[in-house]
Amino acid sequence: LHITKIDIMTSASNDLSAVTNTLTDDVSSWEGKNLISVTQMTTSGILRLFETAQSMRNLVRSKGGDDRLKHKVLASVFYEASTRTSCSFQAAMMRLGGTFLHVDGGKGGNTSASKKGESLEDTIRCLECYTDVTVLRHPTTGSVQQVALGDGTVKPVINAGDGVGEHPTQALLDFFTIFDELGLSLDVDNGNNTADNSHTGPLVVVLLGDLKHGRTVHSLAKLLARSSLKHELVLRYCAPASLEMPAHVKEYVQQCTDVKQEEYSDMSEAVKGANVLYVTRVQKERFETTEDYEKVKGAYVVDTSLMEAAPQGMIVMHPLPRVDEISTDVDSDPRACYFRQMENGMFVRMAILALILGAP
């Protein structure tokens, strides 16, 4: 059974049905809203976000920022370790004239809330008394959604990663990077990419590494599949035997039109004809034992020999941090765009904050 992309909902949680496809090209549809899942955005809404991110990039490069979010305060609440996501959201807020409060809710962190037995909902409700928007990361899958869609919160909540569930802002910055680097066109009004390097033919994306625990690849696969591209999409999954893409993600993608899914074990075969190689680290913190981690650590390493055999137009992405899955020798290759990808993260999160806080 194939259904139109605009009607697809996540099968894992019916609670999201009320907000599915509600973020559109109308800027008022974003104002004051939560961002919990990639299923909330229509393709026209994605284009609106991308155009806003491009304007943010121009703003930063020309003026450094502005004051459109002056007197606005962000609550940066992380119950898991974070460097890139937390810092890019904080930088995004400051670039637009706002400020932030950071709460490290993890073990040994700077908050007493969880140590005193306070519920997550109460913690966020209290922080809302001082702030205008919350960015929340939590190790329990579904926890951010529960907080955001419950009766307790009254201000917008942005999902910064919930266990092995979703990481929607990472998926959006990843998609923006692919869109920008390859010159993709979206199948909506004004969606044609007029860049000199505009992409033609199928879009072949290789997702490599720990696909079981990688919430970034879960969200990216769903986002690419549900978006209306003017290109056939081919998703290639390349993972160690115990770390394959979860069935629920593949089932979701299977419902989408104009998408093929392929599975590989040989990395050199997977990259043949590819446009994007998206690399993920094997996440030690997700394994129950060190022995299990050691069995799959280093299963795939992207090095100069692989890049010599890979297509000349193939970009290499990584959500970072990396351990040993991409050799540092690859960094000088112009196809390595993971640091450009990180910078895009700030531009996309500036766009998200501006849209949600009503100042695009």
Side-chain angles (χ1 to χ4, degrees):
L1 174 66
H2 287 273
I3 55 181
T4 57
K5 296 185 181 186
I6 199 167
D7 292 327
I8 292 172
M9 302 188 316
T10 173
S11 59
S13 176
N14 292 329
D15 292 339
L16 283 171
S17 60
V19 295
T20 298
N21 295 314
T22 54
L23 301 179
T24 71
D25 61 337
D26 182 353
V27 294
S28 66
S29 70
W30 292 78
E31 187 172 355
K33 300 302 191 297
N34 302 306
L35 179 52
I36 311 158
S37 169
V38 296
T39 62
Q40 291 177 251
M41 283 151 287
T42 64
T43 302
S44 63
I46 292 168
L47 182 60
R48 168 65 67 185
L49 177 66
F50 288 179
E51 290 173 343
T52 307
Q54 288 171 330
S55 71
M56 293 299 177
R57 176 168 59 194
N58 293 336
L59 171 67
V60 170
R61 291 181 177 172
S62 62
K63 298 171 56 180
D66 62 22
D67 290 329
R68 72 185 71 191
L69 297 184
K70 187 176 181 180
H71 302 308
K72 297 291 186 180
V73 182
L74 164 76
S76 171
V77 187
F78 283 74
Y79 285 83
E80 282 189 321
S82 173
T83 301
R84 278 145 292 274
T85 302
S86 62
C87 289
S88 64
F89 263 116
Q90 293 163 15
M93 195 69 181
M94 291 189 291
R95 290 280 188 184
L96 295 176
T99 187
F100 66 90
L101 303 176
H102 181 69
V103 176
D104 179 358
K107 185 178 180 180
N110 68 348
T111 175
S112 63
S114 60
K115 297 171 186 175
K116 293 179 179 179
E118 183 177 49
S119 70
L120 180 60
E121 289 85 353
D122 279 1
T123 298
I124 302 305
R125 187 71 182 271
C126 289
L127 289 170
E128 284 185 331
C129 297
Y130 323 129
T131 61
D132 302 282
V133 59
T134 299
V135 172
L136 175 61
R137 172 174 290 184
H138 197 275
T140 303
T141 302
S143 56
V144 179
Q145 176 183 322
Q146 180 178 335
V147 169
L149 298 183
D151 296 329
T153 56
V154 294
K155 294 179 181 176
V157 176
I158 299 172
N159 185 357
D162 60 332
V164 297
E166 282 209 54
H167 196 347
T169 68
Q170 180 70 47
L172 287 165
L173 77 89
D174 292 339
F175 190 8
F176 176 74
T177 300
I178 297 169
F179 173 85
D180 195 56
E181 293 274 337
L182 299 183
L184 296 187
S185 293
L186 303 181
D187 195 12
V188 292
D189 290 343
N190 302 314
N192 284 329
N193 198 309
T194 57
D196 292 338
N197 67 332
S198 57
H199 184 74
T200 58
L203 175 65
V204 181
V205 179
V206 179
L207 303 177
L208 175 75
D210 185 351
L211 307 186
K212 177 181 178 180
H213 301 110
R215 59 192 171 204
T216 61
V217 289
H218 300 169
S219 288
L220 181 59
K222 291 164 67 175
L223 180 61
L224 289 173
R226 76 187 310 275
S227 301
S228 296
L229 300 172
K230 287 192 174 179
H231 317 276
E232 179 189 21
L233 175 64
V234 180
L235 293 176
R236 293 178 179 172
Y237 308 135
C238 188
S242 60
L243 299 177
E244 298 98 334
M245 183 66 82
H248 71 86
V249 176
K250 292 189 287 186
E251 289 165 4
Y252 182 97
V253 171
Q254 189 175 6
Q255 297 179 76
C256 302
T257 55
D258 299 321
V259 186
K260 292 182 180 178
Q261 299 182 90
E262 301 172 351
E263 299 198 54
Y264 289 79
S265 58
D266 186 329
M267 176 174 60
S268 60
E269 288 295 319
V271 301
K272 288 182 178 178
N275 306 112
V276 180
L277 174 60
Y278 190 99
V279 186
T280 64
R281 70 184 174 92
V282 176
Q283 300 182 41
K284 184 176 182 179
E285 65 272 23
R286 306 292 181 193
F287 287 80
E288 292 185 4
T289 68
T290 302
E291 290 75 17
D292 289 342
Y293 168 71
E294 292 294 337
K295 289 177 184 177
V296 291
K297 176 187 175 184
Y300 299 110
V301 177
V302 177
D303 55 19
T304 53
S305 62
L306 179 78
M307 295 303 293
E308 286 170 3
Q312 286 303 304
M314 183 191 78
I315 60 172
V316 181
M317 301 175 64
H318 194 305
L320 301 180
R322 65 176 164 189
V323 182
D324 55 7
E325 61 276 5
I326 299 180
S327 168
T328 56
D329 293 339
V330 175
D331 294 356
S332 59
D333 190 312
R335 293 171 291 177
C337 69
Y338 26 89
F339 292 112
R340 298 194 295 275
Q341 179 186 351
M342 291 307 104
E343 187 178 25
N344 286 339
M346 182 178 70
F347 304 139
V348 168
R349 287 166 175 142
M350 288 173 71
I352 290 169
L353 289 171
L355 285 163
I356 287 177
L357 291 173

